[in-house]
Amino acid sequence: MNNKFIEIKNLTKEFSIKKGFFNGRVGAVHAVNNISFDIIKGETLGIVGESGCGKSTTGRCILGLIPSTSGLINFDGTEMTSAGSKTIQNLRKRMQIIFQNPYSSLNPRMTVRDILREPFIIHKTLLKKDIDKRIAELLEMTGMDESMLNRYPHEFSGGQRQRIGIARALALNPEFIVADEPVSALDISIQAQIINLMKKLKNELKLTYLFISHDLSVIRYICDRVAVMYLGEIIEIATTKELYSNPQHPYTQALLSSVPVPDPENKLLNRIILKGDLPSPVNPPSGCKFHTRCPQVMDICRNIKPETINISENHTANCHLLN
């Protein structure tokens, strides 16, 4: 693809398990396992999968909020995994995150004014006299009023708090935003408002999103492409239209079959019920990691990891059934 903005190659993240008096390593949680994908400038790439599959860890590694164990992360020509602290500090102005829970991501001891002023104080991007003007612009962009500036987070609803979080993320005019399940903690009626606000801001400010969610309906509405993760690996990636109309991996098919349909009279739904629970990332299965739950498992799946198969120009999947 053209206009690659972010390139991730063989990204791996392990969390050590330590035990004993000397705090020695006795194992590791394999949160993200050797994944590679690109994010195109101006697109919204969605990452979807069950809880614990490594979605949020991937986003935080890309931003440098947690260090990766191995692999390369190239942000607009700059290799982040080998860059110095000064380079990373400059890059942080160009990338931000919207957190999942607006109840815990805002400092309860700070007013809205202080929360929105903080990025400018840290990065020293504006003179003091210009900060208040920029804060007023941020409030207008996110649908809030200046009368809210001297209030504290606990005085707002969940949707209002998330708007404050979005305003904070936009403060330094970033180009790339990781949205880590930004609406999952909100009421359904508020979710639509926040999603539409994010779409509007993306078009107006020419943003690039990595949108992390377990809600397939939200992903379908906002994303241009979708990557499906399972137990730390990307098992299928395609344009949204192609993934939803022609899913190839059995796990993707099962996920899509679980999406609720607002028609109680529809008897033609072909639900795929997966048996068992998600295996432990401490001791993942050999071969294809999905083979312990796959309804179409073959002997080869238990021992040999499937290669990436090109379904079409913008559609790949990792499954032995496709060979």
Side-chain angles (χ1 to χ4, degrees), residues 204-269:
E204 290 179 352
L205 305 177
K206 296 179 171 51
L207 299 171
T208 302
Y209 286 149
L210 178 66
F211 195 95
I212 298 167
S213 180
H214 63 271
D215 190 323
L216 289 157
S217 299
V218 170
I219 286 284
R220 184 173 193 173
Y221 179 68
I222 197 172
C223 295
D224 302 302
R225 286 192 303 142
V226 183
V228 181
M229 284 194 76
Y230 183 81
L231 208 62
E233 295 182 354
I234 290 180
I235 58 173
E236 187 165 3
I237 185 167
T239 61
T240 304
K241 182 177 180 180
E242 186 162 356
L243 186 86
Y244 279 76
S245 63
N246 186 30
Q248 293 293 306
H249 197 284
Y251 179 65
T252 308
Q253 294 168 359
L255 279 183
L256 294 180
S257 78
S258 68
V259 177
V261 176
D263 183 3
E265 301 300 322
N266 191 339
K267 307 297 183 183
L268 302 178
L269 296 177

Side-chain angles (χ1 to χ4, degrees), residues 113-130:
R113 187 190 304 277
D114 293 334
I115 289 169
L116 297 183
R117 185 180 282 169
E118 190 174 33
F120 305 110
I121 295 173
I122 293 173
H123 290 277
K124 299 178 173 64
T125 57
L126 289 178
L127 298 174
K128 283 188 177 181
K129 64 178 183 178
D130 297 323

Side-chain angles (χ1 to χ4, degrees), residues 186-197:
L186 306 177
D187 293 339
I188 293 294
S189 59
I190 305 301
Q191 287 185 15
Q193 296 177 23
I194 298 300
I195 291 296
N196 286 329
L197 172 63

Side-chain angles (χ1 to χ4, degrees), residues 29-43:
V29 176
H30 304 277
V32 178
N33 184 31
N34 200 40
I35 65 172
S36 299
F37 62 96
D38 302 321
I39 302 175
I40 310 305
K41 192 169 183 65
E43 79 167 344

Side-chain angles (χ1 to χ4, degrees), residues 4-287:
K4 289 181 181 178
F5 191 37
I6 301 171
E7 296 180 75
I8 291 89
K9 295 181 180 178
N10 307 118
L11 178 64
T12 297
K13 176 59 183 177
E14 296 178 353
F15 294 96
S16 296
I17 300 174
K18 297 181 179 181
K19 191 176 180 181
F21 182 78
F22 294 103
N23 206 26
R25 176 176 164 129
V26 296
V29 176
H30 304 277
V32 178
N33 184 31
N34 200 40
I35 65 172
S36 299
F37 62 96
D38 302 321
I39 302 175
I40 310 305
K41 192 169 183 65
E43 79 167 344
T44 298
L45 174 67
I47 297 185
V48 67
E50 293 172 278
S51 296
C53 71
K55 306 186 297 295
S56 295
T57 301
T58 299
R60 290 167 189 252
C61 283
I62 293 172
L63 293 177
L65 296 179
I66 55 175
S68 57
T69 303
S70 62
L72 301 175
I73 301 169
N74 189 301
F75 180 85
D76 198 23
T78 300
E79 179 47 57
M80 292 183 59
T81 46
S82 59
S85 58
K86 187 174 182 179
T87 301
I88 295 297
Q89 180 76 358
N90 289 329
L91 284 178
R92 290 202 185 281
K93 302 172 190 175
R94 303 176 60 191
M95 56 175 72
Q96 291 293 323
I97 184 170
I98 300 170
F99 293 99
Q100 175 179 0
N101 190 351
Y103 295 91
S104 61
S105 62
L106 301 177
N107 190 330
R109 297 185 177 184
M110 296 174 69
T111 64
V112 173
R113 187 190 304 277
D114 293 334
I115 289 169
L116 297 183
R117 185 180 282 169
E118 190 174 33
F120 305 110
I121 295 173
I122 293 173
H123 290 277
K124 299 178 173 64
T125 57
L126 289 178
L127 298 174
K128 283 188 177 181
K129 64 178 183 178
D130 297 323
I131 291 178
D132 286 342
K133 181 180 177 182
R134 176 58 179 162
I135 288 175
E137 292 175 356
L138 292 169
L139 291 175
E140 184 179 355
M141 277 194 291
T142 52
M144 294 187 293
D145 189 84
E146 288 191 53
S147 63
M148 301 177 175
L149 282 174
N150 295 318
R151 293 161 62 185
Y152 291 87
H154 73 270
E155 300 179 68
F156 297 98
S157 67
Q160 288 173 321
R161 293 186 205 189
Q162 196 60 294
R163 287 175 187 269
I164 297 168
I166 293 171
R168 179 178 60 183
L170 295 174
L172 300 175
N173 288 314
E175 301 164 58
F176 172 62
I177 291 180
V178 173
D180 187 6
E181 305 222 33
V183 297
S184 63
L186 306 177
D187 293 339
I188 293 294
S189 59
I190 305 301
Q191 287 185 15
Q193 296 177 23
I194 298 300
I195 291 296
N196 286 329
L197 172 63
M198 292 184 65
K199 287 191 72 171
K200 173 176 171 285
L201 292 170
K202 174 182 179 288
N203 295 329
E204 290 179 352
L205 305 177
K206 296 179 171 51
L207 299 171
T208 302
Y209 286 149
L210 178 66
F211 195 95
I212 298 167
S213 180
H214 63 271
D215 190 323
L216 289 157
S217 299
V218 170
I219 286 284
R220 184 173 193 173
Y221 179 68
I222 197 172
C223 295
D224 302 302
R225 286 192 303 142
V226 183
V228 181
M229 284 194 76
Y230 183 81
L231 208 62
E233 295 182 354
I234 290 180
I235 58 173
E236 187 165 3
I237 185 167
T239 61
T240 304
K241 182 177 180 180
E242 186 162 356
L243 186 86
Y244 279 76
S245 63
N246 186 30
Q248 293 293 306
H249 197 284
Y251 179 65
T252 308
Q253 294 168 359
L255 279 183
L256 294 180
S257 78
S258 68
V259 177
V261 176
D263 183 3
E265 301 300 322
N266 191 339
K267 307 297 183 183
L268 302 178
L269 296 177
N270 183 23
R271 300 292 190 196
I272 301 173
I273 308 299
L274 297 179
K275 297 180 180 179
D277 297 321
L278 192 71
S280 171
V282 177
N283 186 26
S286 60

